[in-house]
Amino acid sequence: MRRLPLLSALAACGLALAGCAQSGSNNAALDQSAPAAESKAEEVVLNVFAAASLTETFGELEKTFEAAHPNVDVVLNLAGSQDLVAQMAANGGADVLATANESTMDKAKEQDLVAEPSVFAKNTLTLITPPGNPAGVTGLDSSLDNVKLVICAPEVPCGKLTGKLTAALGVELHPVSEEQAVTDVRGKVASGEADAGIVYRTDALAEGAKVETIDIQGADQAVNTYPIAVAANTTHSELAQEWVDLVLSADGQKVLSNAGFTAAAVR
């Protein structure tokens, strides 16, 4: 009978130790989950609105930027420049805007949608056809009279540039369709839906063997200048500026140059 108090004491101590162990285990679990929760909370989405002709180059720069910023997810919104400005005016959502001409960026500035822009590249036009050039296109000449030609719509930067170039060369075009993005023009030619298309030189390079390129004599008479700016209402101004700095840097300019753009600035 004298053993009962001792056994009771031992049992009580055992329960206390178990409680301590359980508490320690819970604390350890909380400690292990804390960094993950903290890391998740730091994740940021950076929305970059960019002209469709920047699809490949900005896609490459996206990888570079994310490698240097593990907690940042760069989301590219690629479309016609005029559509991007309209989206920003209606819904916001952009951290950076890059357009394919200065007049469209000017419209964004007039609406107080962006900070002061910087020019980062220049681009010219060329003709593309499906491989083998089955329609026998030779340039901006009479060879286009009876073919299915697609170009950019007049309100799109590449369409404005097409109008400027044809006016300078005294050429009249009769396209079967006018597209809202230069990528749509090159897509129709690459698929064989169209016999020829007028696109930026960079777009012709991006399509590679899917199209054949025909240089336009006098193409340098019409050049588009590309500006980039931090969005006025961004909540990630430092990261947005870092993206702009990357585009303007020697590394960014090299990516653009390799894609066929004429480099315009180096930081």
Side-chain angles (χ1 to χ4, degrees), residues 43-68:
E43 288 182 354
V44 173
V45 173
L46 188 70
N47 291 299
V48 176
F49 284 31
S53 50
L54 296 166
T55 297
E56 286 76 23
T57 51
F58 273 33
E60 186 171 343
L61 292 177
E62 174 186 4
K63 297 175 184 177
T64 300
F65 194 88
E66 289 180 344

Side-chain angles (χ1 to χ4, degrees), residues 31-171:
D31 290 341
Q32 291 174 359
S33 64
E38 183 180 350
S39 175
K40 186 175 182 179
E42 292 175 354
E43 288 182 354
V44 173
V45 173
L46 188 70
N47 291 299
V48 176
F49 284 31
S53 50
L54 296 166
T55 297
E56 286 76 23
T57 51
F58 273 33
E60 186 171 343
L61 292 177
E62 174 186 4
K63 297 175 184 177
T64 300
F65 194 88
E66 289 180 344
H69 302 78
N71 290 325
V72 177
D73 178 20
V74 176
V75 176
L76 298 178
N77 180 12
L78 300 156
S81 298
Q82 75 292 340
D83 290 335
L84 297 175
V85 173
Q87 288 178 43
M88 289 179 67
N91 305 309
D95 296 304
V96 177
L97 173 67
T99 62
N101 64 357
E102 291 182 291
S103 62
T104 307
M105 182 65 79
D106 288 342
K107 291 179 180 179
K109 281 190 65 180
E110 290 168 4
Q111 299 175 72
D112 297 321
L113 298 176
V114 295
E116 191 63 29
S118 299
V119 170
F120 67 93
K122 295 181 180 181
N123 212 348
T124 55
L125 296 172
T126 191
L127 270 164
I128 57 172
T129 71
N133 189 11
V137 174
T138 57
L140 287 187
D141 51 36
S142 59
S143 66
L144 293 173
D145 290 347
N146 298 309
V147 305
K148 290 183 287 184
L149 172 69
V150 291
I151 63 174
C152 292
E155 64 271 18
V156 181
C158 65
K160 289 181 180 179
L161 193 62
T162 299
K164 181 179 179 180
L165 180 60
T166 53
L169 299 178
V171 175

